[in-house]
Amino acid sequence: MNSTDFIIARDDFQHCKFIETTIPDATELPDDALLIKVDRFAFTANNITYAVLGDELKYWELFPAPEGFGNIPVWGFGEVIASQHPDIAIGERLFGYFPMATHLMIEAADVRKRGLRDAAAHRQNVAPVYNAYARVSGDPAFAGRQGDYQALLRPLFMLSFLVDDFLAENEFYGARSVMLSSASSKTAFGLAHLLHTRKDIRVIGLTSASNMTFVTSLGCYDDVVSYEDVRSLPSDVPTAFVDMAGNSALREKLHRHFGGQMKYSGRIGLTHRSSSPDEPELPGAKPIWFFAPDQIRKRAKAWGPGGIDQRFGAAWSGFAPMLEQWLTVTEGRGPAAVREAYLDTLNGRVPPDQAVILSL
């Protein structure tokens, strides 16, 4: 049987197309393999970041594509339509990392009551979280619109949760305020929501003039400042910078404005895709990448089995009720809708209060 896959040129993200790939049918599956029909998936600016970092962080290896092309990973849901694993039934619903495609075959391993992982050799060069699948059949938290919110924001909110924990663990490096660029992005406002509950930390959202109204309406930023006005911020306040935008010019402007009061500069995202490979040395804290798997490993050891899930679950329960107020979910089905949503996201045409769920 065939799968329809949406792929992009790795050297020109504007160039995208659909291809048909041959996959085994039920009678040809190897032992322990599952054939999954990809049901629905989220698409956000974060998926563009996966493409930008596809070579560096091995994302392109997860779902192979023809030479020169890549299949962008997405978070979503799939239904098992054929199984050679004795503990996985046809009809099971899984939540995890999928290709932008109609089908996926995985090698089920470490099957437990609540999850499993794909043991395919070509997928083992990435962090384990990207190969894990939750078994969510019958779980109301993963059904309907709540399920859409899980696909749209749960992976991003995990990053928000880890950055918040990292900053708190390090006592915010002595900063009294935290600035977030690309403040309208979902990872940013998830982090702002968490930071806003902490005492003695002022949360500042940096955004484009066109997104000022939306970011202000969220209510989780103490101040909202346009990129053009960042020099209006008091330069004598110890400040931490969480950079979701990946804009070299903005980063330099902020470092030169705050100088030695820039106590932490963490690079998290690339929503602007405007990073220069040859950035000058900047005053204040040296910009460094935040690597979520390192924080996960540290907390898994410190908090013990289930510790991360328990704490993250409590944080999510306080965040999820806000999403209905903040976001409008739109759905698209079929190749034309997928292509349109991809290009709109790539080219910055998706309003910040809109969230996109797709299926092929």
Side-chain angles (χ1 to χ4, degrees):
M1 62 183 297
N2 286 343
S3 171
T4 300
D5 292 44
F6 177 72
I7 59 175
I8 68 168
R10 288 160 58 167
D11 61 355
D12 178 8
F13 291 175
Q14 300 289 342
H15 181 200
C16 55
K17 64 180 181 178
F18 293 90
I19 61 171
E20 296 289 315
T21 60
T22 302
I23 54 176
D25 63 25
T27 61
E28 299 172 327
L29 290 178
D31 291 346
D32 295 334
L34 309 176
L35 183 59
I36 301 168
K37 174 72 171 68
V38 183
D39 180 54
R40 56 202 287 117
F41 55 85
F43 199 84
T44 72
N46 190 57
N47 297 101
I48 304 298
T49 299
Y50 290 150
V52 173
L53 299 176
D55 290 312
E56 184 177 348
L57 296 184
K58 312 298 184 185
Y59 293 130
W60 292 137
E61 296 180 12
L62 290 166
F63 308 117
E67 183 71 25
F69 286 83
N71 194 318
I72 300 177
V74 289
W75 293 94
F77 296 91
E79 180 182 335
V80 177
I81 60 172
S83 172
Q84 290 295 336
H85 194 288
D87 297 326
I88 304 293
I90 292 174
E92 270 228 42
R93 192 164 173 77
L94 302 178
F95 172 76
Y97 223 29
F98 288 100
M100 296 181 74
T102 57
H103 297 83
L104 172 68
M105 188 185 78
I106 68 174
E107 299 175 22
D110 297 337
V111 175
R112 306 172 307 282
K113 180 179 179 181
R114 299 183 62 181
L116 55 91
R117 70 177 178 89
D118 186 359
H122 67 272
R123 292 186 62 166
Q124 304 312 305
N125 288 330
V126 297
V129 65
Y130 297 120
N131 290 327
Y133 292 86
R135 302 172 72 180
V136 298
S137 297
D139 187 338
F142 288 87
R145 187 60 78 218
Q146 292 305 310
D148 292 341
Y149 290 146
Q150 297 273 8
L152 284 160
L153 283 142
R154 188 181 181 92
L156 306 184
F157 190 65
M158 175 59 82
L159 179 55
S160 306
F161 170 81
L162 293 169
V163 175
D164 173 72
D165 175 63
F166 172 80
L167 290 172
E169 177 190 19
N170 289 282
E171 298 180 336
F172 295 89
Y173 293 88
R176 296 206 306 270
S177 65
V178 178
M179 298 183 300
L180 285 70
S181 62
S182 197
S184 65
S185 69
K186 296 170 180 62
T187 307
F189 67 66
L191 175 57
H193 165 81
L194 295 171
L195 292 170
H196 196 65
T197 65
R198 297 185 178 277
K199 295 180 179 179
D200 303 323
I201 290 294
R202 194 160 190 84
V203 188
I204 302 169
L206 309 180
T207 190
S208 63
S210 61
N211 287 339
M212 290 278 289
T213 299
F214 171 71
V215 175
T216 301
S217 75
L218 295 170
C220 52
Y221 292 100
D222 296 301
D223 299 296
V224 180
V225 180
S226 71
Y227 294 127
E228 293 79 9
D229 294 333
V230 294
R231 289 195 180 96
S232 69
L233 291 165
S235 61
D236 59 348
V237 177
T239 300
F241 177 39
V242 177
D243 185 13
M244 305 287 183
N247 186 315
S248 295
L250 173 65
R251 184 162 47 247
E252 181 174 359
K253 183 190 294 187
L254 290 168
H255 273 260
R256 298 202 182 285
H257 178 65
F258 286 95
Q261 297 289 16
M262 183 71 82
K263 300 300 182 181
Y264 170 78
S265 183
R267 302 180 64 178
I268 310 296
L270 293 166
T271 60
H272 288 191
R273 305 196 307 281
S274 300
S275 283
S276 168
D278 301 311
E279 294 186 357
E281 187 170 337
L282 300 172
K286 181 179 180 180
I288 55 173
W289 280 101
F290 176 80
F291 191 53
D294 287 346
Q295 191 70 8
I296 291 174
R297 281 189 287 269
K298 180 192 295 184
R299 286 317 195 192
K301 183 177 180 180
W303 292 342
I308 292 177
D309 289 343
Q310 181 181 10
R311 289 166 173 82
F312 176 77
W316 175 262
S317 67
F319 178 63
M322 310 299 296
L323 301 179
E324 191 171 358
Q325 304 172 36
W326 291 347
L327 297 176
T328 298
V329 178
T330 65
E331 299 186 35
R333 179 176 292 275
V338 169
R339 182 194 298 271
E340 180 180 15
Y342 165 72
L343 290 173
D344 283 350
T345 304
L346 176 68
N347 295 304
R349 296 193 291 261
V350 179
D353 61 345
Q354 183 175 307
V356 182
I357 295 290
L358 299 168
S359 60
L360 274 170

